Amino acid sequence: MLDQYIPDLTLRRLPYGTHQTALDLRVFLYRGGAQARISNVLAMIAAGQLGRPVAERVPLVTKLHEVMDAAIAGGASRLTCREQMYSLRNFYSWLDESDLSVTEETARETYKLWTESLIHAVRIKKCLKATSAYSYAISVSTVMGRALGLRANALLKSTRMRSPTKSKPVQTSPAAKQNLEQTFAFGHVMASLCDALTVEAIRGPLPLSIDLPNDMKLTLACGLKKPTATIEDFANYPSVRTSALLNRAMLDSSASVEKRAPLINVRIEAELLLFCAQTSMNLGQAIALRRIKFRYQTDGDDMIAFEYKGRRGGEAVFRAFRLYKNHFLRYLAWLNDLFPDSDDGRLFPFVYVGVIPAARTLPQFKAIRTHCQTLGIRFIGTRALRKTRVNWLLRRSRDPDLTADMSGHLKETLGRDYEEPHFQSAAVEISQFHRATDPSIAPPGPGRCVDVNRAPEMVAHAPAEAPKPDCISPDGCLFCRHHRDVKSANYCWKLATHRHIKARELAGYRPPAKAPPQRHPAQAVIDCLTLKLEAMAAGSSVRAQWVLDAGDAVNAERFHPDWDGFIQLLDIAE
């Protein structure tokens, strides 16, 4: 029979928890198996509820199992394997719904049809996010491509599926400040939880009330069904009252601290978040750390922890801010007091009662998330904490190389995955660039001059009668290549006043009777000033109002202070 020739397709190299079902690729051999619940599908197969396996699927599924098993042996993470398994379930579910099958010969074309269905779900049905569709497609492409002996992502590149564009949001200065304030508030709450959850408090009576910054208060029930109730509320229920007294009483010295596992795990979650924020270590690396004997070394404002091996030997384990050392030592002392005879060598030994997850399972911080929601503050995960730390260091130091070294990243990784646009930093950098490449000095005329060497140069296509720039005459500055306009209401007022002076100068000019007709230099200046004001007004409605106000001020004989003295001299001369 066919069932006897089906090999073992279970991913046995993966670690599993006490209540987890092993991942088995046999589900892909049966129609409907990919859609069934993981916990029930093997029982359904054994009971014959899914019928007979599809024979033509066996060779490809066997190769898929070989590829995934080899990847696990090579160090692939449990999370990656589960994502690939989930994506394959999506692929084979679509095959069953479409009444199709797949073999090594038809895998390429079938994969293309499946990706087209994903694109249709994203663009037409709008029942799937583009990021999810791409994640499914690239996961299946990776596994199936290796099974077929193709180059990396060859299957994906043969389809119309493309990675969704990711744009980094531009943070305004108030938004960046708010984000930093929320991070500091979250950090203060985590530090307060760590300080409050001492061994005495954990072994003490329940419920535990903790005072937090900003007059916040948190009550930890530790499994009590009615934490707000008092013993008097159970006066009419003797058995319930006795049980309540036992559950709320202080633990004696012989009692196991596992009874207070929720309180212990709250502190360990808070300590883990602080540790990742201080060291920039990712969550997977932090969870894998062992509780060893450390040796500490100061490096400027940083503290480096080494594994102690005698004679100042040992490998560096992590780097953190120097002030974090005392907090970390208190945490190690807390672990030793709480688990004096434990053989658990984990640095963050979560206590599990009943359901025990697989080894090195990343915590979801469910307790801290719940308490943050109760307190009305934003929960900030380890990835966001590391990113905030990196960007804070980058803004303080202005040195990408130093920040990358302190964070344990390559400079390219820092810029690609961690650095975020920052309005205030960008404004400072733009200002520094202009000061370095386009320095501005005060010229004789309106506007600014960018030539520190004072070497005037006539602009191209200037009128023949235009005044020559000489760094002395205000009129000549208007026709110099180094002249720059200023976008401000004051500059518009200065231009309008300057034009008024030149108009009076031109009105008082009387050319010689026998001289050939020619344009007066003042006319070229007036034309230039008029063009500048018109260009300024065309820029936006705000600038147009600047120009209008400047004209009204000149008409009302309210002249710019830089030119008012010249106009008074003209009044005296006339």
PDB file of all heavy atoms in Angstrom, residues 28 34-35 83-97 114 117-118 128 132-133 136-137 140:
ATOM      1  N   PHE A  28       0.705  17.631   3.557  1.00  0.00           N
ATOM      2  CA  PHE A  28       0.616  18.128   2.183  1.00  0.00           C
ATOM      3  C   PHE A  28       0.326  17.018   1.176  1.00  0.00           C
ATOM      4  O   PHE A  28       0.066  17.298   0.005  1.00  0.00           O
ATOM      5  CB  PHE A  28       1.926  18.829   1.796  1.00  0.00           C
ATOM      6  CG  PHE A  28       2.278  19.980   2.699  1.00  0.00           C
ATOM      7  CD1 PHE A  28       3.593  20.187   3.109  1.00  0.00           C
ATOM      8  CD2 PHE A  28       1.311  20.838   3.168  1.00  0.00           C
ATOM      9  CE1 PHE A  28       3.917  21.232   3.938  1.00  0.00           C
ATOM     10  CE2 PHE A  28       1.626  21.888   4.009  1.00  0.00           C
ATOM     11  CZ  PHE A  28       2.941  22.098   4.401  1.00  0.00           C
ATOM     12  N   ALA A  34      -3.716  20.532   4.402  1.00  0.00           N
ATOM     13  CA  ALA A  34      -3.085  21.822   4.675  1.00  0.00           C
ATOM     14  C   ALA A  34      -4.037  22.797   5.348  1.00  0.00           C
ATOM     15  O   ALA A  34      -3.596  23.745   6.009  1.00  0.00           O
ATOM     16  CB  ALA A  34      -2.558  22.423   3.370  1.00  0.00           C
ATOM     17  N   GLN A  35      -5.351  22.573   5.171  1.00  0.00           N
ATOM     18  CA  GLN A  35      -6.331  23.483   5.764  1.00  0.00           C
ATOM     19  C   GLN A  35      -6.765  23.062   7.156  1.00  0.00           C
ATOM     20  O   GLN A  35      -7.364  23.850   7.886  1.00  0.00           O
ATOM     21  CB  GLN A  35      -7.568  23.569   4.845  1.00  0.00           C
ATOM     22  CG  GLN A  35      -7.267  24.172   3.473  1.00  0.00           C
ATOM     23  CD  GLN A  35      -8.460  24.121   2.561  1.00  0.00           C
ATOM     24  OE1 GLN A  35      -9.242  23.172   2.605  1.00  0.00           O
ATOM     25  NE2 GLN A  35      -8.624  25.144   1.731  1.00  0.00           N
ATOM     26  N   GLU A  83       7.580  29.820   9.729  1.00  0.00           N
ATOM     27  CA  GLU A  83       7.069  30.709   8.680  1.00  0.00           C
ATOM     28  C   GLU A  83       7.037  29.989   7.335  1.00  0.00           C
ATOM     29  O   GLU A  83       6.080  30.142   6.566  1.00  0.00           O
ATOM     30  CB  GLU A  83       7.958  31.952   8.592  1.00  0.00           C
ATOM     31  CG  GLU A  83       7.794  32.903   9.767  1.00  0.00           C
ATOM     32  CD  GLU A  83       8.744  34.091   9.690  1.00  0.00           C
ATOM     33  OE1 GLU A  83       9.646  34.061   8.828  1.00  0.00           O
ATOM     34  OE2 GLU A  83       8.581  35.021  10.493  1.00  0.00           O
ATOM     35  N   GLN A  84       8.068  29.202   7.050  1.00  0.00           N
ATOM     36  CA  GLN A  84       8.085  28.447   5.789  1.00  0.00           C
ATOM     37  C   GLN A  84       6.973  27.400   5.780  1.00  0.00           C
ATOM     38  O   GLN A  84       6.319  27.199   4.751  1.00  0.00           O
ATOM     39  CB  GLN A  84       9.449  27.786   5.611  1.00  0.00           C
ATOM     40  CG  GLN A  84      10.573  28.773   5.332  1.00  0.00           C
ATOM     41  CD  GLN A  84      11.935  28.115   5.269  1.00  0.00           C
ATOM     42  OE1 GLN A  84      12.100  26.965   5.693  1.00  0.00           O
ATOM     43  NE2 GLN A  84      12.915  28.821   4.747  1.00  0.00           N
ATOM     44  N   MET A  85       6.753  26.754   6.913  1.00  0.00           N
ATOM     45  CA  MET A  85       5.689  25.760   6.993  1.00  0.00           C
ATOM     46  C   MET A  85       4.330  26.416   6.798  1.00  0.00           C
ATOM     47  O   MET A  85       3.460  25.882   6.093  1.00  0.00           O
ATOM     48  CB  MET A  85       5.757  25.071   8.363  1.00  0.00           C
ATOM     49  CG  MET A  85       4.838  23.877   8.513  1.00  0.00           C
ATOM     50  SD  MET A  85       5.383  22.492   7.495  1.00  0.00           S
ATOM     51  CE  MET A  85       4.147  21.258   7.965  1.00  0.00           C
ATOM     52  N   TYR A  86       4.133  27.585   7.382  1.00  0.00           N
ATOM     53  CA  TYR A  86       2.860  28.289   7.247  1.00  0.00           C
ATOM     54  C   TYR A  86       2.629  28.706   5.790  1.00  0.00           C
ATOM     55  O   TYR A  86       1.509  28.610   5.275  1.00  0.00           O
ATOM     56  CB  TYR A  86       2.854  29.516   8.160  1.00  0.00           C
ATOM     57  CG  TYR A  86       1.538  30.247   8.198  1.00  0.00           C
ATOM     58  CD1 TYR A  86       0.495  29.791   8.991  1.00  0.00           C
ATOM     59  CD2 TYR A  86       1.331  31.396   7.439  1.00  0.00           C
ATOM     60  CE1 TYR A  86      -0.731  30.451   9.020  1.00  0.00           C
ATOM     61  CE2 TYR A  86       0.119  32.064   7.467  1.00  0.00           C
ATOM     62  CZ  TYR A  86      -0.900  31.589   8.263  1.00  0.00           C
ATOM     63  OH  TYR A  86      -2.114  32.244   8.295  1.00  0.00           O
ATOM     64  N   SER A  87       3.691  29.155   5.131  1.00  0.00           N
ATOM     65  CA  SER A  87       3.569  29.562   3.727  1.00  0.00           C
ATOM     66  C   SER A  87       3.278  28.364   2.835  1.00  0.00           C
ATOM     67  O   SER A  87       2.482  28.456   1.892  1.00  0.00           O
ATOM     68  CB  SER A  87       4.852  30.260   3.273  1.00  0.00           C
ATOM     69  OG  SER A  87       5.098  31.423   4.041  1.00  0.00           O
ATOM     70  N   LEU A  88       3.917  27.222   3.123  1.00  0.00           N
ATOM     71  CA  LEU A  88       3.626  26.008   2.353  1.00  0.00           C
ATOM     72  C   LEU A  88       2.183  25.553   2.573  1.00  0.00           C
ATOM     73  O   LEU A  88       1.524  25.055   1.641  1.00  0.00           O
ATOM     74  CB  LEU A  88       4.596  24.900   2.752  1.00  0.00           C
ATOM     75  CG  LEU A  88       6.021  25.025   2.202  1.00  0.00           C
ATOM     76  CD1 LEU A  88       6.931  23.985   2.853  1.00  0.00           C
ATOM     77  CD2 LEU A  88       6.045  24.865   0.683  1.00  0.00           C
ATOM     78  N   ARG A  89       1.674  25.703   3.765  1.00  0.00           N
ATOM     79  CA  ARG A  89       0.264  25.380   4.027  1.00  0.00           C
ATOM     80  C   ARG A  89      -0.645  26.253   3.184  1.00  0.00           C
ATOM     81  O   ARG A  89      -1.660  25.791   2.655  1.00  0.00           O
ATOM     82  CB  ARG A  89      -0.053  25.546   5.514  1.00  0.00           C
ATOM     83  CG  ARG A  89       0.530  24.457   6.404  1.00  0.00           C
ATOM     84  CD  ARG A  89       0.319  24.779   7.881  1.00  0.00           C
ATOM     85  NE  ARG A  89      -1.082  24.810   8.213  1.00  0.00           N
ATOM     86  CZ  ARG A  89      -1.794  23.763   8.585  1.00  0.00           C
ATOM     87  NH1 ARG A  89      -1.216  22.569   8.681  1.00  0.00           N
ATOM     88  NH2 ARG A  89      -3.075  23.857   8.871  1.00  0.00           N
ATOM     89  N   ASN A  90      -0.282  27.533   3.059  1.00  0.00           N
ATOM     90  CA  ASN A  90      -1.071  28.429   2.207  1.00  0.00           C
ATOM     91  C   ASN A  90      -1.036  27.965   0.754  1.00  0.00           C
ATOM     92  O   ASN A  90      -2.058  27.961   0.059  1.00  0.00           O
ATOM     93  CB  ASN A  90      -0.516  29.852   2.331  1.00  0.00           C
ATOM     94  CG  ASN A  90      -1.360  30.881   1.619  1.00  0.00           C
ATOM     95  OD1 ASN A  90      -1.491  30.856   0.401  1.00  0.00           O
ATOM     96  ND2 ASN A  90      -1.931  31.807   2.386  1.00  0.00           N
ATOM     97  N   PHE A  91       0.152  27.553   0.290  1.00  0.00           N
ATOM     98  CA  PHE A  91       0.323  27.101  -1.097  1.00  0.00           C
ATOM     99  C   PHE A  91      -0.493  25.844  -1.367  1.00  0.00           C
ATOM    100  O   PHE A  91      -1.248  25.766  -2.353  1.00  0.00           O
ATOM    101  CB  PHE A  91       1.810  26.843  -1.355  1.00  0.00           C
ATOM    102  CG  PHE A  91       2.119  26.243  -2.691  1.00  0.00           C
ATOM    103  CD1 PHE A  91       1.986  26.978  -3.859  1.00  0.00           C
ATOM    104  CD2 PHE A  91       2.539  24.920  -2.781  1.00  0.00           C
ATOM    105  CE1 PHE A  91       2.270  26.415  -5.095  1.00  0.00           C
ATOM    106  CE2 PHE A  91       2.835  24.347  -4.009  1.00  0.00           C
ATOM    107  CZ  PHE A  91       2.692  25.101  -5.166  1.00  0.00           C
ATOM    108  N   TYR A  92      -0.390  24.850  -0.489  1.00  0.00           N
ATOM    109  CA  TYR A  92      -1.106  23.598  -0.711  1.00  0.00           C
ATOM    110  C   TYR A  92      -2.607  23.742  -0.454  1.00  0.00           C
ATOM    111  O   TYR A  92      -3.419  23.009  -1.052  1.00  0.00           O
ATOM    112  CB  TYR A  92      -0.510  22.490   0.159  1.00  0.00           C
ATOM    113  CG  TYR A  92       0.707  21.852  -0.472  1.00  0.00           C
ATOM    114  CD1 TYR A  92       1.983  22.306  -0.179  1.00  0.00           C
ATOM    115  CD2 TYR A  92       0.581  20.803  -1.371  1.00  0.00           C
ATOM    116  CE1 TYR A  92       3.110  21.733  -0.769  1.00  0.00           C
ATOM    117  CE2 TYR A  92       1.696  20.216  -1.957  1.00  0.00           C
ATOM    118  CZ  TYR A  92       2.959  20.693  -1.660  1.00  0.00           C
ATOM    119  OH  TYR A  92       4.062  20.122  -2.258  1.00  0.00           O
ATOM    120  N   SER A  93      -3.010  24.668   0.408  1.00  0.00           N
ATOM    121  CA  SER A  93      -4.440  24.944   0.580  1.00  0.00           C
ATOM    122  C   SER A  93      -5.034  25.487  -0.713  1.00  0.00           C
ATOM    123  O   SER A  93      -6.143  25.110  -1.121  1.00  0.00           O
ATOM    124  CB  SER A  93      -4.656  25.944   1.718  1.00  0.00           C
ATOM    125  OG  SER A  93      -4.256  25.409   2.945  1.00  0.00           O
ATOM    126  N   TRP A  94      -4.268  26.377  -1.370  1.00  0.00           N
ATOM    127  CA  TRP A  94      -4.726  26.912  -2.663  1.00  0.00           C
ATOM    128  C   TRP A  94      -4.808  25.806  -3.708  1.00  0.00           C
ATOM    129  O   TRP A  94      -5.744  25.775  -4.528  1.00  0.00           O
ATOM    130  CB  TRP A  94      -3.774  28.014  -3.118  1.00  0.00           C
ATOM    131  CG  TRP A  94      -4.053  28.510  -4.505  1.00  0.00           C
ATOM    132  CD1 TRP A  94      -4.982  29.426  -4.874  1.00  0.00           C
ATOM    133  CD2 TRP A  94      -3.380  28.095  -5.702  1.00  0.00           C
ATOM    134  NE1 TRP A  94      -4.951  29.620  -6.238  1.00  0.00           N
ATOM    135  CE2 TRP A  94      -3.978  28.811  -6.774  1.00  0.00           C
ATOM    136  CE3 TRP A  94      -2.353  27.201  -5.976  1.00  0.00           C
ATOM    137  CZ2 TRP A  94      -3.558  28.647  -8.093  1.00  0.00           C
ATOM    138  CZ3 TRP A  94      -1.943  27.031  -7.284  1.00  0.00           C
ATOM    139  CH2 TRP A  94      -2.536  27.744  -8.325  1.00  0.00           C
ATOM    140  N   LEU A  95      -3.859  24.867  -3.695  1.00  0.00           N
ATOM    141  CA  LEU A  95      -3.900  23.741  -4.630  1.00  0.00           C
ATOM    142  C   LEU A  95      -5.173  22.920  -4.439  1.00  0.00           C
ATOM    143  O   LEU A  95      -5.851  22.553  -5.407  1.00  0.00           O
ATOM    144  CB  LEU A  95      -2.683  22.842  -4.436  1.00  0.00           C
ATOM    145  CG  LEU A  95      -1.317  23.351  -4.908  1.00  0.00           C
ATOM    146  CD1 LEU A  95      -0.236  22.344  -4.548  1.00  0.00           C
ATOM    147  CD2 LEU A  95      -1.317  23.605  -6.397  1.00  0.00           C
ATOM    148  N   ASP A  96      -5.516  22.648  -3.153  1.00  0.00           N
ATOM    149  CA  ASP A  96      -6.703  21.842  -2.880  1.00  0.00           C
ATOM    150  C   ASP A  96      -7.969  22.576  -3.285  1.00  0.00           C
ATOM    151  O   ASP A  96      -8.900  21.974  -3.844  1.00  0.00           O
ATOM    152  CB  ASP A  96      -6.752  21.472  -1.397  1.00  0.00           C
ATOM    153  CG  ASP A  96      -5.591  20.569  -0.984  1.00  0.00           C
ATOM    154  OD1 ASP A  96      -4.999  19.926  -1.880  1.00  0.00           O
ATOM    155  OD2 ASP A  96      -5.272  20.533   0.215  1.00  0.00           O
ATOM    156  N   GLU A  97      -8.031  23.893  -3.022  1.00  0.00           N
ATOM    157  CA  GLU A  97      -9.209  24.666  -3.404  1.00  0.00           C
ATOM    158  C   GLU A  97      -9.363  24.760  -4.919  1.00  0.00           C
ATOM    159  O   GLU A  97     -10.488  24.790  -5.439  1.00  0.00           O
ATOM    160  CB  GLU A  97      -9.118  26.079  -2.805  1.00  0.00           C
ATOM    161  CG  GLU A  97      -9.235  26.124  -1.296  1.00  0.00           C
ATOM    162  CD  GLU A  97      -8.977  27.519  -0.758  1.00  0.00           C
ATOM    163  OE1 GLU A  97      -8.641  28.408  -1.561  1.00  0.00           O
ATOM    164  OE2 GLU A  97      -9.109  27.703   0.474  1.00  0.00           O
ATOM    165  N   TRP A 114      -0.016  30.348  -8.459  1.00  0.00           N
ATOM    166  CA  TRP A 114      -0.305  30.680  -7.049  1.00  0.00           C
ATOM    167  C   TRP A 114       0.033  32.136  -6.751  1.00  0.00           C
ATOM    168  O   TRP A 114      -0.736  32.828  -6.068  1.00  0.00           O
ATOM    169  CB  TRP A 114       0.481  29.730  -6.154  1.00  0.00           C
ATOM    170  CG  TRP A 114       0.370  30.052  -4.685  1.00  0.00           C
ATOM    171  CD1 TRP A 114      -0.766  30.049  -3.935  1.00  0.00           C
ATOM    172  CD2 TRP A 114       1.437  30.421  -3.803  1.00  0.00           C
ATOM    173  NE1 TRP A 114      -0.469  30.396  -2.627  1.00  0.00           N
ATOM    174  CE2 TRP A 114       0.878  30.621  -2.521  1.00  0.00           C
ATOM    175  CE3 TRP A 114       2.811  30.584  -3.966  1.00  0.00           C
ATOM    176  CZ2 TRP A 114       1.639  30.993  -1.427  1.00  0.00           C
ATOM    177  CZ3 TRP A 114       3.573  30.933  -2.871  1.00  0.00           C
ATOM    178  CH2 TRP A 114       2.987  31.138  -1.618  1.00  0.00           C
ATOM    179  N   SER A 117      -2.589  34.384  -7.900  1.00  0.00           N
ATOM    180  CA  SER A 117      -3.747  34.423  -6.998  1.00  0.00           C
ATOM    181  C   SER A 117      -3.486  35.332  -5.801  1.00  0.00           C
ATOM    182  O   SER A 117      -4.397  36.014  -5.310  1.00  0.00           O
ATOM    183  CB  SER A 117      -4.092  33.002  -6.523  1.00  0.00           C
ATOM    184  OG  SER A 117      -3.118  32.520  -5.605  1.00  0.00           O
ATOM    185  N   LEU A 118      -2.231  35.366  -5.340  1.00  0.00           N
ATOM    186  CA  LEU A 118      -1.884  36.276  -4.245  1.00  0.00           C
ATOM    187  C   LEU A 118      -1.994  37.726  -4.692  1.00  0.00           C
ATOM    188  O   LEU A 118      -2.519  38.584  -3.954  1.00  0.00           O
ATOM    189  CB  LEU A 118      -0.463  35.980  -3.748  1.00  0.00           C
ATOM    190  CG  LEU A 118      -0.214  34.626  -3.079  1.00  0.00           C
ATOM    191  CD1 LEU A 118       1.264  34.491  -2.702  1.00  0.00           C
ATOM    192  CD2 LEU A 118      -1.084  34.453  -1.845  1.00  0.00           C
ATOM    193  N   LEU A 128      -5.884  40.680   1.394  1.00  0.00           N
ATOM    194  CA  LEU A 128      -4.541  40.282   1.825  1.00  0.00           C
ATOM    195  C   LEU A 128      -3.605  41.464   1.686  1.00  0.00           C
ATOM    196  O   LEU A 128      -3.668  42.206   0.701  1.00  0.00           O
ATOM    197  CB  LEU A 128      -4.051  39.109   0.963  1.00  0.00           C
ATOM    198  CG  LEU A 128      -2.702  38.480   1.310  1.00  0.00           C
ATOM    199  CD1 LEU A 128      -2.770  37.806   2.675  1.00  0.00           C
ATOM    200  CD2 LEU A 128      -2.278  37.482   0.241  1.00  0.00           C
ATOM    201  N   SER A 132       2.214  40.564   3.419  1.00  0.00           N
ATOM    202  CA  SER A 132       1.936  39.157   3.714  1.00  0.00           C
ATOM    203  C   SER A 132       2.076  38.309   2.457  1.00  0.00           C
ATOM    204  O   SER A 132       2.658  37.218   2.494  1.00  0.00           O
ATOM    205  CB  SER A 132       0.535  39.003   4.302  1.00  0.00           C
ATOM    206  OG  SER A 132       0.403  39.722   5.503  1.00  0.00           O
ATOM    207  N   ALA A 133       1.546  38.806   1.335  1.00  0.00           N
ATOM    208  CA  ALA A 133       1.638  38.063   0.077  1.00  0.00           C
ATOM    209  C   ALA A 133       3.096  37.846  -0.319  1.00  0.00           C
ATOM    210  O   ALA A 133       3.486  36.745  -0.734  1.00  0.00           O
ATOM    211  CB  ALA A 133       0.887  38.808  -1.021  1.00  0.00           C
ATOM    212  N   TYR A 136       4.719  35.178   1.960  1.00  0.00           N
ATOM    213  CA  TYR A 136       4.364  33.816   1.540  1.00  0.00           C
ATOM    214  C   TYR A 136       5.170  33.406   0.316  1.00  0.00           C
ATOM    215  O   TYR A 136       5.729  32.301   0.255  1.00  0.00           O
ATOM    216  CB  TYR A 136       2.871  33.726   1.215  1.00  0.00           C
ATOM    217  CG  TYR A 136       1.939  33.997   2.356  1.00  0.00           C
ATOM    218  CD1 TYR A 136       0.648  34.469   2.148  1.00  0.00           C
ATOM    219  CD2 TYR A 136       2.333  33.784   3.682  1.00  0.00           C
ATOM    220  CE1 TYR A 136      -0.225  34.724   3.197  1.00  0.00           C
ATOM    221  CE2 TYR A 136       1.470  34.038   4.737  1.00  0.00           C
ATOM    222  CZ  TYR A 136       0.196  34.516   4.477  1.00  0.00           C
ATOM    223  OH  TYR A 136      -0.650  34.764   5.516  1.00  0.00           O
ATOM    224  N   ALA A 137       5.208  34.297  -0.674  1.00  0.00           N
ATOM    225  CA  ALA A 137       5.842  33.961  -1.948  1.00  0.00           C
ATOM    226  C   ALA A 137       7.338  33.698  -1.793  1.00  0.00           C
ATOM    227  O   ALA A 137       7.869  32.741  -2.355  1.00  0.00           O
ATOM    228  CB  ALA A 137       5.595  35.075  -2.959  1.00  0.00           C
ATOM    229  N   VAL A 140       8.052  30.253   0.155  1.00  0.00           N
ATOM    230  CA  VAL A 140       7.871  29.071  -0.680  1.00  0.00           C
ATOM    231  C   VAL A 140       8.945  29.018  -1.769  1.00  0.00           C
ATOM    232  O   VAL A 140       9.461  27.946  -2.103  1.00  0.00           O
ATOM    233  CB  VAL A 140       6.459  29.054  -1.288  1.00  0.00           C
ATOM    234  CG1 VAL A 140       6.308  27.903  -2.278  1.00  0.00           C
ATOM    235  CG2 VAL A 140       5.416  28.936  -0.192  1.00  0.00           C
TER     236      VAL A 140
END
